[in-house]
Amino acid sequence: MRYELYYWASIQGRGEFVRLALEEAAAAYVDVARTKGGEECMQALLANEGLACPPFAPPFLKAGNRLIGQTANILFFLGERHDLAPKRDAGRLWTHQLQLTLADFIDEVHDTHHPIASSLYYEDQRREAKRRAADFVASRVPKFFGYFERVLASNPSGPAHLVGARVTYADLSLFQVVAGMQYAFPNAMARIARQTPKVSALHARVAARPRIAAYLASTRRLPFNQQDLFRHYAELDR
Ligand SMILES: N[C@@H](CCC(=O)N[C@@H](CS)C(=O)NCC(=O)O)C(=O)O
């Protein structure tokens, strides 16, 4: 079976967390919006009032006759199918919990450049963005990164992974968060990296995984850009 991933064609965004899992699993998939007519096809699905379980927003994944939305939910589904999560309930829930925490962080990243409304331009909320980003950098980034450092340090199987002794989709997602933060907040991240060496080491290890390294070097990996979730505004990166 070939999965169909539905996500915006020009950004990594939240779709990237799903792409990384599909790539690590060597799963057959098509990135629908990046094919000819694909974005219209995605919009048509979003507008389709006949669906029993309609997705609210991209990313969503078509797997056979299922249509699954919400990034963490998609990963929960893929994790089980492709051995990217523990088999037992406790481990699966713990991995899901970590993914939801990463999702919270990602929302906060978004709100640094769009603190008032997603529908407004950055330039229309610049002052508020500056205030929001200052607090994000000073207290939220250290709190989230400190938490993931602690989770790595207290993993009974060792600090190489967030959960157990093998890679999970939560590791792939933490890699993506670090990569995005290095693009968006290079100054802040230089400081944070010194305080969270286990998180930095996980980022390097995931980047070196053969399938992930091949993906990162391919044209399937879109570059970070200023329309994306992670954006670099020098004035926000203090
Ligand atoms: N909680 C959802 C958020 C989905 C989401 O915000 N998707 C964005 C793109 S990253 C979108 O297109 N949103 C449209 C909207 O919220 O109206 C998830 O994690 O998948």
Side-chain angles (χ1 to χ4, degrees):
M1 188 203 57
R2 193 166 67 148
Y3 293 110
E4 291 176 14
L5 169 65
Y6 291 83
Y7 194 67
W8 304 110
S10 57
I11 59 169
Q12 294 182 13
R14 290 178 177 84
E16 197 64 12
F17 298 94
V18 182
R19 293 191 186 108
L20 285 166
L22 291 167
E23 293 283 344
E24 176 61 28
Y29 75 100
V30 54
D31 209 331
V32 178
R34 293 179 70 188
T35 63
K36 196 162 183 289
E39 205 146 313
E40 292 76 44
C41 179
M42 179 173 92
Q43 297 287 11
L45 265 176
L46 283 167
N48 184 338
E49 293 187 4
L51 294 175
C53 306
F56 174 74
F60 51 94
L61 185 79
K62 192 161 187 296
N65 55 13
R66 296 183 210 207
L67 202 52
I68 305 161
Q70 291 286 352
T71 310
N73 199 36
I74 299 168
L75 292 171
F76 188 79
F77 170 78
L78 290 175
E80 185 168 9
R81 284 194 149 196
H82 294 282
D83 221 11
L84 285 172
K87 295 257 174 286
R88 293 190 177 175
D89 245 20
R92 271 192 312 148
L93 279 179
W94 175 224
T95 311
H96 187 52
Q97 179 178 327
L98 292 170
Q99 188 65 40
L100 290 169
T101 307
L102 288 166
D104 289 345
F105 182 71
I106 292 156
D107 285 347
E108 295 201 21
V109 171
H110 170 270
D111 291 350
T112 60
H113 50 79
H114 280 79
I116 302 297
S118 301
S119 54
L120 296 176
Y121 290 112
Y122 168 70
E123 287 69 23
D124 296 330
Q125 43 196 320
R126 210 166 173 164
R127 212 154 37 105
E128 294 87 351
K130 214 164 172 183
R131 286 188 71 190
R132 181 78 189 231
D135 178 70
F136 174 74
V137 165
S139 43
R140 302 302 285 171
V141 181
K143 183 166 182 177
F144 276 96
F145 273 67
Y147 171 76
F148 285 105
E149 183 76 7
R150 179 152 57 90
V151 170
L152 286 167
S154 51
N155 180 356
S157 302
H161 301 99
L162 286 167
V163 182
R166 300 178 53 193
V167 72
T168 65
Y169 61 78
D171 291 326
L172 305 178
S173 295
L174 182 54
F175 155 80
Q176 175 64 10
V177 162
V178 174
M181 287 296 292
Q182 285 174 345
Y183 169 78
F185 293 93
N187 284 330
M189 279 307 288
R191 292 193 299 274
I192 287 291
R194 284 194 291 275
Q195 292 152 21
T196 55
K198 292 181 177 58
V199 172
S200 301
L202 178 139
H203 169 262
R205 252 191 322 276
V206 170
R209 293 183 69 80
R211 287 172 182 164
I212 298 296
Y215 168 63
L216 296 178
S218 76
T219 52
R220 298 191 302 289
R221 170 79 164 182
L222 293 159
F224 286 109
N225 66 63
Q226 291 298 87
Q227 307 308 315
D228 212 327
L229 192 56
F230 291 100
R231 299 187 189 187
H232 176 64
Y233 295 108
E235 69 219 53
L236 302 186
D237 179 29
R238 303 280 180 208

